[in-house]
Amino acid sequence: MSTNHIKQTLSEIESELRAKIGALPEMQAKLMEQHDYSLCELIQVMTDVHLCEHPLFIKLMSLDAARCQLEIGLYGVCSDCESEIEPERLASNPLEQRCLSCSNHFSQQHRQELRLNH
Ligand SMILES: [Zn+2]
C-alpha cells in the first residue's frame, strides 16, 4: 500500500470515528463549545469526561498512533518486536499495532492480568 493510500484510509477512519464520538451524550456539550478539535485535543477531552475506557477512545488512540507512525515512516511496524505486520492483518484492520505473534502474546498476557484482578 502506498503512503497516500494509507493516509486516505486513515482519514476515512478518522471522520467515521469523529462522527461516532460526536454522537456520545458525554461529548455533545463539549462539542457544542468547540467542534474543530485536533486528534490530541479530542483525546484530552475524552479523558476529561472519563471516556478513556470507551472502545471509541481506544480506537482513537490507535488511530493517533498509526498517524504518527506514518509520519515517521514506521507505519505497519509491530510496536513490540519491530518486525513488519502481516499485510493481511493491516488490510483487515489498518490501525493494527502488533504482528500476529506479538498480538497473541499480548492478549494472553492481558487475559492473565484479568484473571489476577478478579
Ligand atoms: Zn511483533
Side-chain angles (χ1 to χ4, degrees):
M1 255 202 293
S2 72
T3 306
N4 274 341
H5 188 99
I6 300 164
K7 263 190 195 152
Q8 176 69 27
T9 310
L10 293 186
S11 55
E12 278 163 21
I13 295 174
E14 180 177 343
S15 34
E16 199 189 307
L17 203 54
R18 280 178 182 273
K20 284 186 188 161
I21 290 171
L24 296 172
E26 293 94 329
M27 293 299 291
Q28 269 163 6
K30 292 278 178 188
L31 291 166
M32 221 113 72
E33 293 162 20
Q34 190 190 337
H35 60 273
D36 55 346
Y37 290 112
S38 70
L39 275 191
C40 290
E41 287 168 335
L42 206 52
I43 289 170
Q44 186 56 50
V45 173
M46 286 186 83
T47 311
D48 290 347
V49 295
H50 309 292
L51 283 174
C52 47
E53 304 277 325
H54 200 283
L56 289 175
F57 181 81
I58 292 159
K59 201 165 175 193
L60 190 65
M61 295 291 282
S62 13
L63 174 67
D64 191 44
R67 277 210 338 190
C68 293
Q69 287 175 319
L70 191 62
E71 249 166 58
I72 56 176
L74 287 178
Y75 178 80
V77 173
C78 174
S79 62
D80 285 356
C81 71
E82 292 176 15
S83 62
E84 273 185 38
I85 300 171
E86 296 79 0
E88 59 273 18
R89 283 174 68 75
L90 280 177
S92 67
N93 176 14
L95 303 182
E96 189 56 64
Q97 297 286 295
R98 287 183 178 83
C99 70
L100 184 60
S101 71
C102 291
S103 167
N104 286 339
H105 188 72
F106 178 76
S107 48
Q108 251 165 28
Q109 249 181 2
H110 201 64
R111 270 201 295 275
Q112 260 159 11
E113 279 163 24
L114 286 178
R115 259 206 300 276
L116 289 176
N117 288 338
H118 287 99

